[in-house]
Amino acid sequence: MPVPSREDLAQAEPEVARKLFRSGKFFKESTSGMCQGRVQTNLLALDKSLAEDFAKFCAANSGPLPVLFQSEVGQFTAPGLTQTDSDVRTDLPAYNIIENGEVTHTVKNIMGFKEFLRDYVFFYQGCSFTFDQSFLAAGVPLRNLEHNTRISVFTTSVKCHPVGPFKCQMDMSMRPIPRDLVEKAFKVTLPLTKYHGAPVHIGDPALIGVPDVNKPDYLDPTVFEEGDIPVFWACGVTVVEAVKAAKPSLAFSHFPGNMYIADAPFQSQDDSPADVKVVTLCEKPYWASVTSEAVVKKIKQLEGFIAEDLGKRQIGNLLVPDDLLKSVLALSHASSVALTTGFPCFVNNKNPYEDDGPPGAIAIAMMLQALGKKVDLVVDKTLYEPLTTVLEALVEQKVLARPISVVQFPPEGEQDTLETAKKFLLKAGTTAPRYDHLLAIERAGKAEDGGYYTMKAIDVGRLVGGIDWLFQAAAEMPTVHTSGIGDGGNELGMGKVRDIVHRDIPRGQTIACSVASDFLMTAGVSNWGGYAVAVGLYLVSTCPIHERYRRRAVGFPPSDEERQRFRSALPDVDRERQMLQILISHEFFDMTGTDVLHVDGLSFDDVHVKKIEQLLSVIGEE
């Protein structure tokens, strides 16, 4: 009787496939596409002494390691998954033998280890092969099946949550998905958390430490068709990385792509969740994030609220739709952020800086700190002392609960050049970026002639250091992203709309900033943009869809205590009033040059209080 082909097994009963594997057929051949509609699982067998820690490790990393069944010691069947004839020691196409953390060889079965296996526990973990049929039913093509290749698996830079001896980086499977079907692929897999669930990264492989998408660490390269985007799912091959770290004397796993096929039917979801929005953040290289439609609508409201042009500066055409959303999502993915601010308006004052910018920067910094990110305020030499003094006073008077680091650029004794900026943006002694994101708020921006101009076209360049160089250097670093917030067209980042500033803003030909940011937020008052970013960060960080995607489905969702910490970091009217009073006491004046409680000529109590309350109202009841 001829041996069935892989195609013949597409609709076969699992028992038929297992018997073929038991007889040595399909050695090292992928089970993707076999026994469609049935559950497939990854497998790991560990000595009982390690079982408890590994079970906790799986619970802490449920994306790559969703446990469907954990056996008793020495149990070789999986009740609940398989009712018919089955023996986990023989019923996979291939097994890896792992000795002292290293895969030493691959075998057709593990019956030669009977005596050891009496003291072993088997972990059956959900596999993304299970939902292949759901993709096809939704019209999402699978290139590995089309081209008869095994799915690509990569070891990434994403760290799993450690437990005991188990600590490792996550492996991810990659599927090329047509760009217009990425959101559908996300929706199809979002509810399927038993089988790794929704993707954990969409687009640019460099952001997860994958140097070449055509050179997988495991299995085969996958063919891309025109318009395909690399989409990554948490992968059960992570068990291999975990065992490498723990270094047990002997362990067993499935050979990558060679799964245990259970009798249990795959329970598909008839209705994919509608409240999902994939948001493109960058085009070259392509990178996207994900949140809910509800959050997208709320951030759109924030964008509209901050655009109110009470100063009549004709900023309406400087708005870049959805850049607030994109900036917030990009910041959410960052682990280290540099914020900068400072616009000198009063050239004859000891402290030449206005009071628009620092409050917004501090509001963003507070939220980023609450979210667990590293934050520095990077400023030039002129601003360093006055801003440091103000921040110390804010902590001393308990307006701020914790200090915010201030870093000077260029560092003392170094030249104000692009080369200095490139060096500054790297971690010492490495080629790794020091920051993932740079954000400028109400920061004087360099014009085309090299000057730095106020709205009245007064050149204040002698008071401005070369923070612009950092943004220009970041533009050459693909994994570093930038945001700008401004209210007139002369601020750092406004180079993104330079031609519109030339056309629509008084004196625009002179004052327009020539340096662009990736994302640009235009506000009636720049501080409002800072408050909106803080509120937006809160919204995405408390969105379950985005929150899981951001942490790559490793670790745990935020606790009630953590969520309360996020909420406490939101802009607060009383705190903002105290902050403004302290800024004014240190001669950070309103643009009118007076020591009244105003920002940009608008009364704090009459105007800014209402704007803060309006922005907070978007959050609604929780």
Side-chain angles (χ1 to χ4, degrees), residues 6 21 24-32 34 40-44 88 91-96 106-108 125 127 129 150-151 153 219-220 235 237 253-261:
R6 291 187 77 258
F21 303 157
K25 305 298 189 298
F26 298 97
F27 181 58
K28 291 187 177 181
E29 292 193 38
S30 173
T31 56
S32 178
M34 294 183 182
Q40 295 198 28
T41 80
N42 303 282
L43 184 75
L44 180 66
V88 74
D91 288 2
L92 280 67
Y95 300 77
N96 276 341
T106 303
V107 297
K108 293 182 177 180
Q125 295 158 328
C127 171
F129 287 0
R150 298 175 300 175
I151 200 165
V153 176
L219 305 181
D220 300 331
C235 179
V237 180
S253 75
H254 68 290
F255 179 80
N258 289 220
M259 305 302 169
Y260 176 78
I261 303 179

Side-chain angles (χ1 to χ4, degrees), residues 343 345-346 349 351-356 580 583-596 598-600:
F343 209 121
C345 296
F346 315 115
N349 288 18
N351 176 8
Y353 292 96
E354 64 167 317
D355 59 3
D356 189 20
L580 190 56
L583 280 163
I584 292 170
S585 72
H586 288 81
E587 300 185 2
F588 284 81
F589 293 146
D590 171 58
M591 60 180 286
T592 60
T594 58
D595 61 355
V596 293
H598 285 194
V599 179
D600 273 2

Side-chain angles (χ1 to χ4, degrees), residues 26-106:
F26 298 97
F27 181 58
K28 291 187 177 181
E29 292 193 38
S30 173
T31 56
S32 178
M34 294 183 182
C35 305
Q36 292 177 8
R38 302 303 180 101
V39 169
Q40 295 198 28
T41 80
N42 303 282
L43 184 75
L44 180 66
L46 286 171
D47 184 85
K48 61 185 179 184
S49 63
L50 291 169
E52 183 178 352
D53 274 345
F54 187 71
K56 292 177 180 177
F57 181 70
C58 293
N61 298 282
S62 60
L65 304 171
V67 176
L68 301 184
F69 181 74
Q70 177 180 338
S71 78
E72 300 294 333
V73 177
Q75 181 183 16
F76 308 127
T77 58
L81 291 178
T82 301
Q83 304 302 324
T84 58
D85 178 39
S86 179
D87 186 329
V88 74
R89 298 170 295 179
T90 61
D91 288 2
L92 280 67
Y95 300 77
N96 276 341
I97 310 303
I98 307 171
E99 298 177 271
N100 298 310
E102 296 297 327
V103 176
T104 55
H105 51 297
T106 303

Side-chain angles (χ1 to χ4, degrees), residues 326-560:
K326 294 175 183 179
S327 176
V328 163
L329 289 170
L331 284 163
S332 177
H333 287 287
S335 59
S336 181
V337 180
L339 305 175
T340 188
T341 190
F343 209 121
C345 296
F346 315 115
V347 294
N348 297 317
N349 288 18
K350 179 181 178 182
N351 176 8
Y353 292 96
E354 64 167 317
D355 59 3
D356 189 20
I362 292 169
I364 297 170
M366 287 181 63
M367 183 57 72
L368 291 171
Q369 284 182 332
L371 296 173
K373 303 180 189 300
K374 183 183 184 301
V375 187
D376 289 335
L377 277 167
V378 179
V379 298
D380 49 32
K381 186 174 182 178
T382 310
L383 181 56
Y384 181 84
E385 184 178 345
L387 186 60
T388 300
T389 302
V390 163
L391 288 168
E392 288 172 351
L394 291 171
V395 173
E396 183 180 335
Q397 297 184 41
K398 296 183 169 48
V399 179
L400 293 181
R402 55 190 291 193
I404 300 171
S405 167
V406 184
V407 177
Q408 181 178 312
F409 178 83
E412 200 68 49
E414 296 198 30
Q415 296 297 309
D416 201 351
T417 64
L418 180 60
E419 288 307 311
T420 302
K422 290 178 179 179
K423 178 182 174 183
F424 180 87
L425 288 180
L426 296 177
K427 292 179 181 177
T430 75
T431 58
R434 181 177 184 175
Y435 303 107
D436 304 310
H437 203 116
L438 312 181
L439 184 147
I441 173 170
E442 192 63 20
R443 169 72 198 179
K446 185 187 296 182
E448 290 170 78
D449 65 0
Y452 293 82
Y453 294 98
T454 67
M455 294 299 291
K456 295 180 180 179
I458 298 169
D459 189 351
V460 293
R462 67 182 179 82
L463 299 170
V464 181
I467 299 291
D468 307 73
W469 292 126
L470 296 176
F471 278 63
Q472 291 173 267
E476 300 178 19
M477 303 171 71
T479 62
V480 180
H481 301 93
T482 58
S483 295
I485 301 174
D487 57 19
N490 55 348
E491 299 89 0
L492 181 53
M494 283 284 180
K496 186 170 183 176
V497 291
R498 179 184 59 188
D499 292 345
I500 302 173
V501 175
H502 285 175
R503 185 191 71 199
D504 292 354
I505 301 299
R507 308 179 188 87
Q509 293 282 346
T510 301
I511 71 171
C513 174
S514 63
V515 181
S517 54
D518 297 324
F519 314 111
L520 179 65
M521 292 148 280
T522 303
V525 176
S526 291
N527 282 344
W528 298 351
Y531 302 148
V533 168
V535 174
L537 282 167
Y538 175 83
L539 289 170
V540 298
S541 297
T542 53
C543 167
I545 293 170
H546 175 75
E547 188 278 326
R548 180 187 185 273
Y549 180 79
R550 180 201 58 76
R551 62 180 167 86
R552 317 290 190 196
V554 296
F556 301 96
S559 65
D560 290 344

Side-chain angles (χ1 to χ4, degrees), residues 6-209:
R6 291 187 77 258
E7 290 72 20
D8 293 333
L9 291 183
Q11 303 303 322
E13 290 295 319
E15 186 176 9
V16 172
R18 292 196 300 268
K19 285 181 178 178
L20 288 167
F21 303 157
R22 199 179 301 167
S23 66
K25 305 298 189 298
F26 298 97
F27 181 58
K28 291 187 177 181
E29 292 193 38
S30 173
T31 56
S32 178
M34 294 183 182
C35 305
Q36 292 177 8
R38 302 303 180 101
V39 169
Q40 295 198 28
T41 80
N42 303 282
L43 184 75
L44 180 66
L46 286 171
D47 184 85
K48 61 185 179 184
S49 63
L50 291 169
E52 183 178 352
D53 274 345
F54 187 71
K56 292 177 180 177
F57 181 70
C58 293
N61 298 282
S62 60
L65 304 171
V67 176
L68 301 184
F69 181 74
Q70 177 180 338
S71 78
E72 300 294 333
V73 177
Q75 181 183 16
F76 308 127
T77 58
L81 291 178
T82 301
Q83 304 302 324
T84 58
D85 178 39
S86 179
D87 186 329
V88 74
R89 298 170 295 179
T90 61
D91 288 2
L92 280 67
Y95 300 77
N96 276 341
I97 310 303
I98 307 171
E99 298 177 271
N100 298 310
E102 296 297 327
V103 176
T104 55
H105 51 297
T106 303
V107 297
K108 293 182 177 180
N109 65 67
I110 52 175
M111 293 301 286
F113 299 88
K114 280 184 179 180
E115 295 303 314
F116 291 97
L117 293 174
R118 289 175 181 172
D119 290 324
Y120 274 59
V121 175
F122 290 80
F123 291 85
Y124 301 73
Q125 295 158 328
C127 171
S128 60
F129 287 0
T130 302
F131 52 59
D132 282 355
Q133 193 59 35
S134 295
F135 276 130
L136 299 175
V140 179
L142 293 173
R143 304 302 185 204
N144 61 303
L145 297 184
E146 292 177 351
H147 296 277
N148 196 28
T149 60
R150 298 175 300 175
I151 200 165
S152 300
V153 176
F154 299 86
T155 300
T156 71
S157 58
V158 177
K159 294 180 180 179
C160 289
H161 186 88
V163 175
F166 298 101
K167 48 180 75 74
C168 67
Q169 292 162 280
M170 194 207 303
D171 285 341
M172 296 184 191
S173 62
M174 187 281 298
R175 293 165 177 79
I177 303 291
R179 178 168 172 168
D180 62 346
L181 294 176
V182 169
E183 188 166 284
K184 180 175 282 189
F186 195 99
K187 289 180 178 180
V188 165
T189 53
L190 178 62
L192 307 178
T193 53
K194 290 182 179 179
Y195 316 105
H196 303 307
V200 293
H201 183 71
I202 300 169
D204 187 4
L207 293 173
I208 51 172

